[in-house]
Amino acid sequence: MQRKRKNHSSRPRPANPKLVLLNKPFGVLSQFTGEPGDATLKDWVPFNDVYPAGRLDKDSEGLMLLTNDGVYQARLSNPKYKVWKTYWVQVEGEPTSEQLTQLQQGVELNDGMTRPAEAFVMAEPMNLWPRNPPVRERKSVPDTWLCIKIREGKNRQVRRMTAHVGLPTLRLIRAQIGPYKLAGLQPGEWREEPPVW
């Protein structure tokens, strides 16, 4: 028996579409519920009618999009729509051109090959907020900031990609999803923007 595919276009669209951009702090779950003592989106977002379009690990920071429109949520988070996501990644070590080429061409993870990506060395992001707790640093080992852009969303993908090429991730910040940018939001801050349909 064939399973029916979900048709997102048949869902009712909200009369007042809402899109919230949030800078998710380190240590916060990408959901509104959790175990007692967990920090969740409920602690930061004052709406009860929006849902995350995609996730960020508890130990990752940066841009999350939340919307009350299920169709738009699917367009933003489903890998088939190939929405670009940009990450600022602090890694341990100094990448070689071979390591960057590997990241750009795709690496073989245990759940398959990653799609080609953009990956290049960048300066430390301007006006970067301190992380709490601070990133562990080893004085004998340098660290480097990379900009990595991907169009898919395997579980903990960026961390696994950098580890695969020998550059463990120390800090991971998502800076942009499609046309939406972090742009000045401090950890825990949010703003509404009109959805770009």
Side-chain angles (χ1 to χ4, degrees), residues 17 19 28 30 89 106 111 131 135 147 150 164:
L19 183 70
V28 175
S30 297
V89 192
D111 52 354
R131 201 188 78 176
V135 171
C147 181
I150 61 173
H164 183 86

Side-chain angles (χ1 to χ4, degrees), residues 97-119 148 150 152 154-167:
S97 57
E98 290 80 8
Q99 287 170 315
L100 290 174
T101 299
Q102 274 186 283
L103 293 171
Q104 292 160 359
Q105 293 179 345
V107 297
E108 183 73 47
L109 302 177
N110 59 8
D111 52 354
M113 192 79 176
T114 63
R115 290 180 179 152
E118 292 184 32
I148 297 180
I150 61 173
E152 56 193 328
K154 298 177 187 291
N155 186 41
R156 298 177 71 83
Q157 179 174 335
V158 173
R159 291 178 185 277
R160 292 193 292 142
M161 286 171 66
T162 65
H164 183 86
V165 302
L167 298 165

Side-chain angles (χ1 to χ4, degrees), residues 35-197:
E35 299 298 320
D38 284 340
T40 69
L41 298 179
K42 188 172 65 175
D43 301 315
W44 305 97
V45 179
F47 303 111
N48 58 12
D49 62 342
V50 294
Y51 304 92
R55 301 174 67 80
L56 262 183
D57 301 324
K58 183 178 179 179
D59 50 357
S60 298
E61 308 161 71
L63 183 61
M64 284 195 69
L65 301 179
L66 301 101
T67 180
N68 62 348
D69 186 327
V71 175
Y72 198 50
Q73 181 187 27
R75 284 186 190 159
L76 289 167
S77 55
N78 192 319
K80 79 175 184 180
Y81 294 108
K82 298 184 176 69
V83 175
W84 283 101
K85 295 178 277 290
T86 301
Y87 296 85
W88 299 332
V89 192
Q90 184 183 19
V91 297
E92 194 172 85
E94 294 179 329
T96 63
S97 57
E98 290 80 8
Q99 287 170 315
L100 290 174
T101 299
Q102 274 186 283
L103 293 171
Q104 292 160 359
Q105 293 179 345
V107 297
E108 183 73 47
L109 302 177
N110 59 8
D111 52 354
M113 192 79 176
T114 63
R115 290 180 179 152
E118 292 184 32
F120 52 88
V121 174
M122 63 179 282
E124 179 176 311
M126 288 183 65
N127 305 316
L128 185 62
W129 57 89
R131 201 188 78 176
N132 185 20
V135 171
R136 124 192 107 75
E137 289 185 17
R138 290 160 59 190
K139 288 189 175 155
S140 59
V141 181
D143 60 78
T144 306
W145 281 93
L146 301 179
C147 181
I148 297 180
K149 299 182 182 184
I150 61 173
R151 290 190 296 173
E152 56 193 328
K154 298 177 187 291
N155 186 41
R156 298 177 71 83
Q157 179 174 335
V158 173
R159 291 178 185 277
R160 292 193 292 142
M161 286 171 66
T162 65
H164 183 86
V165 302
L167 298 165
T169 290
L170 300 172
R171 189 175 182 188
L172 181 64
I173 300 167
R174 186 159 60 199
Q176 186 169 349
I177 301 171
Y180 304 107
K181 299 181 181 180
L182 208 49
L185 286 177
Q186 292 299 301
E189 290 183 348
W190 59 271
R191 68 173 175 267
E192 281 193 73
E193 286 195 10
V196 180
W197 305 114

